[in-house]
Amino acid sequence: MEFWRQPDELRLACERARAAGRRVGLVPTMGALHAGHRALIAEARRRADFVVVTVFVNPTQFGAGEDLARYPRTLERDRAACEEAGASGVFAPGVEAMYPPGEETRVRVGATAAPLCGVHRPVHFEGVATVVAKLFALAGPCVAVFGRKDYQQLQVIRRLAADLFLPVEVVGAATVREPDGLAMSSRNAYLSPEQRSAARAIPLALTDACRAFARGERRPAALLEPARARLAAVATSIDYVDLADPESLAIWSDRAAVGDRALLAVAVRLGSARLIDNVVLGEDAPPIAGAGEEAGG
Ligand code: PAF
């Protein structure tokens, strides 16, 4: 497996791979890799034969007072995990390589980035779009795989690629969950044992909503209120529990009835950990498989 620190090294490696007839797959990450990331690499390997994992904790997507300084940095372990998962190379640039002195260009995002996390993390998606645009520019024509756990991010990146005519196929991979249904996230490491067990309320709330939707429930309040109540019982605070259009991300919570597919998106804080999760009702399987009619407590 190759390892690059410099942007030009990544560009050259991808150009060489394409010249040799290989398809480039890109898996952008911030490191602290877990089984969810390994599933993204596996998805990229199904679609491409030169798979690059990028490991970069991108400062521009963190707002003031967020967890940039303490975000887990585990590069040596991440390299080993990438090698084991069959990646062809890892790109782990320093901050100055991605944002050299004098750089000033940012990608301005639009309506897709405005609701949900956009309300609570105002600079976040501009930073994500900027760094992903840089990675797409370096990788060139490729297939890029992102997790559906960060569903709004996925939609923002789809818009980025379409709006800037970037030669990148953007693929969303299914959320990988712990046995109790909690979505895998590098930020789960911030949870105390008590918070970790309280976090099970998130997949339970989403599972209940999936079941209700499957029974034909389409009233936003009937889908949202049980989820809000369940989360309010355990969360330090709730950023949002909302229904939105799965493509545009426009909030639907005030509609008379939702459509045949609806994004149910959740962001809650448990202590210092901010956890997000979502399901597309009418499309995704419930987070807790095999739960009875009601997911229960
Ligand atoms: O999802 C992430 O890990 C990051 O937001 C991404 C896409 C790698 C950009 O920094």
Side-chain angles (χ1 to χ4, degrees):
M1 189 184 74
E2 296 180 61
F3 181 70
W4 315 284
R5 284 282 196 189
Q6 295 306 321
D8 281 347
E9 294 175 319
L10 172 62
R11 188 199 301 279
L12 201 65
C14 292
E15 278 170 7
R16 282 202 183 118
R18 274 189 300 274
R22 301 167 83 183
R23 186 173 197 214
V24 174
L26 187 70
V27 182
T29 81
M30 296 207 300
L33 303 184
H34 48 65
H37 296 109
R38 288 198 292 278
L40 302 183
I41 299 171
E43 184 61 42
R45 288 188 66 200
R46 281 191 281 278
R47 295 166 181 268
D49 39 24
F50 185 77
V51 170
V52 170
V53 181
T54 73
V55 175
F56 179 62
V57 182
N58 172 39
T60 63
Q61 69 188 74
F62 290 80
E66 293 188 349
D67 57 342
L68 172 63
R70 71 170 180 145
Y71 196 88
R73 288 160 171 87
T74 58
L75 184 56
E76 284 320 305
R77 256 190 286 147
D78 293 343
R79 275 178 78 161
C82 289
E83 180 128 45
E84 200 175 316
S88 313
V90 169
F91 175 56
V95 173
E96 283 231 337
M98 291 303 277
Y99 296 99
E103 66 79 33
E104 60 180 17
T105 303
R106 295 290 176 272
V107 174
R108 186 165 67 83
V109 288
T112 311
L116 303 173
C117 284
V119 173
H120 298 272
R121 304 186 71 192
V123 301
H124 177 64
F125 287 119
E126 176 180 293
V128 169
T130 299
V131 80
V132 170
K134 287 172 186 260
L135 295 172
F136 284 180
L138 293 170
C142 66
V143 53
V145 184
F146 297 86
R148 279 172 68 99
K149 183 185 85 71
D150 300 308
Y151 188 89
Q152 186 176 19
Q153 167 175 282
L154 174 64
Q155 292 306 107
V156 168
I157 292 168
R158 284 192 203 284
R159 276 256 60 94
L160 167 80
D163 293 350
L164 301 185
F165 306 118
L166 301 176
V168 178
E169 182 192 352
V170 177
V171 169
T175 302
V176 177
R177 298 180 178 279
E178 302 281 359
D180 71 351
L182 183 66
M184 296 226 176
S185 163
S186 305
R187 289 188 167 100
N188 292 351
Y190 301 157
L191 297 169
S192 69
E194 296 71 31
Q195 290 160 352
R196 172 63 188 82
S197 90
R200 181 166 156 77
I202 301 170
L204 284 168
L206 295 177
T207 298
D208 277 348
C210 288
R211 303 262 175 245
F213 192 87
R215 288 196 307 271
E217 185 58 78
R218 294 293 182 273
R219 292 168 301 162
L223 293 164
L224 288 171
E225 290 317 322
R228 285 184 177 144
R230 194 188 271 283
L231 293 168
V234 299
T236 309
S237 62
I238 295 181
D239 277 4
Y240 58 78
V241 179
D242 266 318
L243 286 159
D245 179 278
E247 263 62 57
S248 70
L249 277 296
I251 298 296
W252 270 359
S253 304
D254 55 358
R255 277 190 166 200
V258 299
D260 287 344
R261 285 169 71 243
L263 173 70
L264 174 56
V266 165
V268 298
R269 292 175 196 267
L270 282 164
S272 65
R274 181 177 186 275
L275 303 183
I276 65 173
D277 201 349
N278 63 76
V279 285
V280 177
L281 301 172
E283 182 174 308
D284 290 335
I288 302 178
E293 174 61 10
E294 291 298 322

